[in-house]
Amino acid sequence: MPPTPLLGVELSDAGAHPAAWRLPAADPGHLHDPARWVSLVRAAQRGGLDLVLLPGGLGPADVDGGVRGRLDPLLTASFVAPLTTGVGLVPTVTTTHTEPFHVGKAVQTLDWVSRGRAGWEVAVSRSPEEAALVGRKDVAGGALEEEELWAEADDVAEVVARMEDSWEDDAEVRDVATGRFVDRDRIHAVAFEGDPFSVAGASITPRSPQGRPPVVVRADSAAALRFAARRADVVRVPAHDLATAVAHRRALHRLVAEAGRDPEEVALLVEVVAWLGPDAAERRDALDRWTPTNTNPGTVEHVGDAAGLADLVGAWTGGRDGGAGVDGVVVRPAVLPLDLDALVDDVVPLLRRRGLRPTGPPARTLRGTLGLDRPASRYARVPATAGGAR
């Protein structure tokens, strides 16, 4: 685990508040402009943030008074990747109704085009409407139960991991004299048999810079938390108070240990909705008059100045004096780009002065940022050296 708390940011629509698009500062005419997404990620890069999370789903966002329509997060991340550096890129990937082969090669491709900064947030689709969108007819009642959804996600994660390993690191021999580009003995069939899918062959994408891009899970249910314990490198959770965060941390550590993994290799991040600046409370009141959120953003909320958010990060990530001892936070700016810029320009410098952010250059890969070694391929006859990146 890194020596300082991890700091991520979720970039969603015009911001975490559904009515954020109604503010001129959100520039609602360019919400789907790819240049806007490059600008937002570059802001996170300017602040030395660890990871950017790009949410999304199979269906259109459907919040009363909110933005309708989204770009595909994985494709957006792939567009942004070559135009940015340093910060990890973590798009949401819905595993329900999605062919795991396509998921695997797309995540591997993102890792290549980002030069080792890719992760992917595993999500499930709970709605009958989304099942209908893809024409899935084998789902009774139009939607799977929570346990079934995460069991299917577990199968997809297993297939993707096997695909990521299916090319050994030295499978490309590029022998000009013989015309042999690959060593076929170092490319392995996934050979997964499951329900409702089976995958027989290898990935079409060579092993990527990180080997296995980190898996992120938003653990918003007991089944999601159990999946996260088996598969995730980063788990993010909503929590209204320190006691809830402590309970999440203890439950996750117990489940990770029961899954035979080291709890110290799985980071737990708490979500924080942030309204920053001298007009933060007024903006919140104005947007709530348009689209009430019933003063409940679903997790802890900070409305106020940069020092207050820095205090919150210190308290929640500290393990002493009543702190929650979590490994970091995911900030959800209430209004983009206002609260993102304030996070980067005002909060991050405070965190650095308090020793809560690194002062050196970012790691070369997202796994490096998370303090994770590069894993050897499970098929490798001679394990690759851990810790390096191509």
Side-chain angles (χ1 to χ4, degrees):
M1 203 62 65
T4 56
L6 293 164
L7 182 58
V9 64
E10 181 187 271
L11 303 181
S12 176
D13 301 321
H17 195 287
W21 65 272
R22 298 177 71 169
L23 294 181
D27 194 10
H30 293 88
L31 292 179
H32 302 140
D33 185 338
R36 172 180 180 269
W37 292 96
V38 173
S39 176
L40 291 172
V41 175
R42 282 178 174 166
Q45 170 186 317
R46 184 176 81 242
L49 305 192
D50 296 312
L51 63 161
V52 166
L53 297 117
L54 301 171
L58 294 181
D62 190 19
V63 179
D64 287 342
V67 173
R68 300 297 178 101
R70 276 179 176 165
L71 302 182
D72 181 275
L74 184 50
L75 294 177
T76 302
S78 293
F79 176 82
V80 166
L83 304 174
T84 56
T85 60
V87 64
L89 300 172
V90 184
T92 298
V93 179
T94 303
T95 55
T96 315
H97 318 311
T98 309
E99 290 290 342
F101 182 83
H102 295 307
V103 171
K105 66 182 177 62
V107 172
Q108 286 181 282
T109 299
L110 177 60
D111 202 37
W112 275 108
V113 299
S114 67
R115 299 182 185 276
R117 293 182 289 125
W120 60 300
E121 180 171 296
V122 179
V124 298
S125 169
R126 298 178 170 96
S127 81
E129 292 78 12
E130 292 183 0
L133 278 175
V134 298
R136 188 164 176 179
K137 299 177 181 177
D138 62 329
V139 180
L144 296 171
E145 297 296 327
E146 189 75 5
E147 293 289 345
E148 294 177 288
L149 288 168
W150 286 104
E152 187 172 288
D154 197 81
D155 285 348
V156 173
E158 174 62 22
V159 168
V160 171
R162 293 189 192 187
M163 287 178 64
E164 291 164 345
D165 286 349
S166 62
W167 287 54
E168 296 185 37
D169 286 316
D170 52 1
E172 293 179 64
V173 294
R174 296 183 288 272
D175 188 333
V176 174
T178 64
R180 193 172 60 129
F181 193 85
V182 296
D183 179 350
R184 292 183 180 277
D185 290 338
R186 293 184 184 273
I187 299 177
H188 307 273
V190 166
F192 180 86
E193 293 284 342
D195 182 20
F197 53 78
S198 298
V199 179
S203 176
I204 62 168
T205 306
R207 200 151 197 261
S208 69
Q210 296 183 97
R212 292 182 212 141
V215 173
V216 179
V217 176
R218 186 172 191 265
D220 56 358
S221 72
L225 187 64
R226 288 191 290 274
F227 168 84
R230 294 190 298 273
R231 297 289 183 183
D233 301 294
V234 177
V235 182
R236 64 173 179 136
V237 292
H240 285 285
D241 50 44
L242 286 169
T244 304
V246 170
H248 283 317
R249 174 170 57 81
R250 289 174 177 167
L252 178 66
H253 283 192
R254 175 177 56 79
L255 290 170
V256 169
E258 289 175 0
R261 305 175 65 203
D262 181 356
E264 295 303 317
E265 293 186 355
V266 181
L268 179 67
L269 312 183
V270 169
E271 299 173 2
V272 181
V273 173
W275 303 77
L276 292 164
D279 65 339
E282 289 78 4
R283 279 192 289 125
R284 189 186 190 288
D285 290 344
L287 295 190
D288 258 4
R289 282 195 292 275
W290 279 326
T291 305
T293 57
N294 298 321
T295 68
N296 181 7
T299 190
V300 62
E301 183 178 47
H302 172 75
V303 184
D305 61 12
L309 182 55
D311 291 343
L312 186 152
V313 172
W316 286 60
T317 58
R320 299 178 179 175
D321 302 324
V326 299
D327 302 302
V329 300
V330 171
V331 175
R332 300 174 58 204
V335 178
L336 291 171
L338 291 179
D339 295 307
L340 172 62
D341 287 337
L343 170 69
V344 166
D345 297 328
D346 301 329
V347 180
V348 169
L350 283 175
L351 293 173
R352 287 198 180 112
R353 286 199 288 274
R354 298 180 187 186
L356 296 174
R357 291 296 297 155
T359 55
R364 292 176 55 196
T365 67
L366 180 54
R367 291 190 72 89
T369 296
L370 299 173
L372 300 173
D373 291 335
R374 185 176 189 269
S377 165
R378 72 191 65 192
Y379 304 108
R381 286 166 286 187
V382 179
T385 301
R390 293 192 305 192

